[in-house]
Amino acid sequence: MSIPVAPPEAFAAPAPHVAVVGGGPAGLMAAEVLAAGGASVDLFDAMPSVGRKFLLAGKGGLNLTHGEPFERFVERYGTRRADLEPLLAAFGPAQLRDWAQGLGISTFVGSSGRVFPTDLKAAPLLRRWLHRLRVGGVRFHTRHRWLGWAEADVNADATGRRLRFATPQGESLVDADAVVLALGGASWARLGSDGAWVDPLAACGVSVAPLQPSNCGFHVGRPAADGTLAAGWTEYFRTRFAGAPLKNVALSLEGEGGAAWQSGEFVVTEHGVEGSLVYALSGPARERIARDGRATLSLDLLPAHAAEQVSAEVARPRGSRSLGTHLKSRLGLAGVKSALLHELLPRSVIDDPALLAAAIKALPLTLSQARPIDEAISTAGGVRFEALRPGLMLDALPGVFCAGEMLDWEAPTGGYLLSACFASGVAAALGARQFLQTSRPIARADGSAPPTRAARGGF
Ligand SMILES: Cc1cc2nc3c(=O)[nH]c(=O)nc-3n(C[C@H](O)[C@H](O)[C@H](O)COP(=O)(O)OP(=O)(O)OC[C@H]3O[C@@H](n4cnc5c(N)ncnc54)[C@H](O)[C@@H]3O)c2cc1C
């Protein structure tokens, strides 16, 4: 395994006690690195079992990471590239694939460059991983919902942390020499990540960017002549085409710097649109809606056709044939693609061959609102990197480290989400190990026992 497991210097006995809160990929990875490095690790999760979102991710084919060159890979993290690049340089796609191989899970690079386990599933990987963690000494405590810190332990000078948990047996206090929080974002709350961690951290002065949907669907609006937006699809279009995929199309969000086209597919929904192509633009579209009240995408229905070719075919005399038959026979435009033209364009454009050809190459599609965060694939916002010291330790709470989707970054689908969760889990664990190696001797130099030892009996 390419995780740096051996601490540069072994911990003095007794081993320091670390509480990892959150049993998603980030927390499990942090627990693995800490336990392998000699710490005594207890992992807590609110749910009856860990890794529920990870298992869900495996339903559609677990996209672990991406095989593109590292330079391109790190660009996917946009404005947070500088924060995540060192973490991904230490534990990136190559190390992640080696790590999976170490669990006996082979991976392959698909035609799109995405990396999957050979069987595409998450469950076998998780099962083997949990077994290895247990054998490695990690103790699991499910149905333990972290509530925050005990009253006496919000003091930044404390040498340990006292955590409050809601358990089926009532509230329980747990002391730890260091804490790794890996509590996820705020989507798919029924799988455990509900964003309820924001308040206890914000109350301690931790700066948290508002949690927002990322890689999400959107509502569409139909612009009226007076500039207002009519909500959603027409009843006619919705009832016939909700669920229909638009394949081999390209989308862009026009901005000040011109349009950047992305090709692929997306799906018409009851309310609007969703799917990989829409997800890829979700961050900038969300910001545009926040700024302007709407975001207008350009949809190229025929990206493989040059504009001139489309113009020539649309303008070709069609005799007695209907426009629909003409577009289908000359350009292959039919079904939902053809219906979308009628849904979104005024009659005056449909009847003008030049305007219609231009619209086929750049059909304006207006988004009015993101779908609720609970439906999103991932969450933007979270603990700001500016609130962290190197090693992902909270500036406001020494000894407390954060990892995974609860940090303030976002990335498209394609394996980038899990990659950064794993990498930050490793980084937080290494940060905690470094902290314990440097702070514990100091904490005990005056002869006082760290607060962790006394109250830890239950674990
Ligand atoms: C449908 C779907 C498909 C996806 N597919 C992919 C994919 O193929 N590739 C990819 O890269 N990404 C994918 N993702 C995203 C990926 O699953 C997440 O980014 C990743 O799971 C986040 O990891 P995490 O450890 O940060 O948080 P999570 O996996 O959300 O884990 C957080 C854990 O913390 C626990 N928790 C939360 N609050 C508390 C509390 N107060 N006390 C105790 N425990 C708490 C939760 O129960 C949970 O177990 C997908 C997401 C979805 C929804």
Side-chain angles (χ1 to χ4, degrees), residues 118-140:
T118 308
D119 64 0
L120 300 173
K121 295 180 186 155
L125 188 155
L126 184 63
R127 209 169 29 244
R128 290 178 191 202
W129 192 12
L130 294 180
H131 174 72
R132 189 164 81 184
L133 287 168
R134 286 197 179 93
V135 170
V138 176
R139 295 170 295 270
F140 286 84

Side-chain angles (χ1 to χ4, degrees), residues 95-133:
Q95 291 83 358
L96 184 49
R97 293 185 70 185
D98 284 351
W99 169 85
Q101 190 62 58
L103 284 168
I105 303 290
S106 302
T107 54
F108 72 97
V109 185
S111 54
S112 61
R114 295 173 181 224
V115 175
F116 302 91
T118 308
D119 64 0
L120 300 173
K121 295 180 186 155
L125 188 155
L126 184 63
R127 209 169 29 244
R128 290 178 191 202
W129 192 12
L130 294 180
H131 174 72
R132 189 164 81 184
L133 287 168

Side-chain angles (χ1 to χ4, degrees), residues 252-289:
S252 74
L253 174 67
E254 283 175 29
E256 296 80 14
W261 291 92
Q262 310 225 22
S263 41
E265 63 181 75
F266 68 93
V267 179
V268 170
T269 64
E270 290 280 323
H271 314 275
V273 288
E274 67 177 24
S276 55
L277 202 46
V278 173
Y279 298 161
L281 293 169
S282 63
R286 193 188 61 231
E287 279 161 26
R288 190 68 60 85
I289 292 170

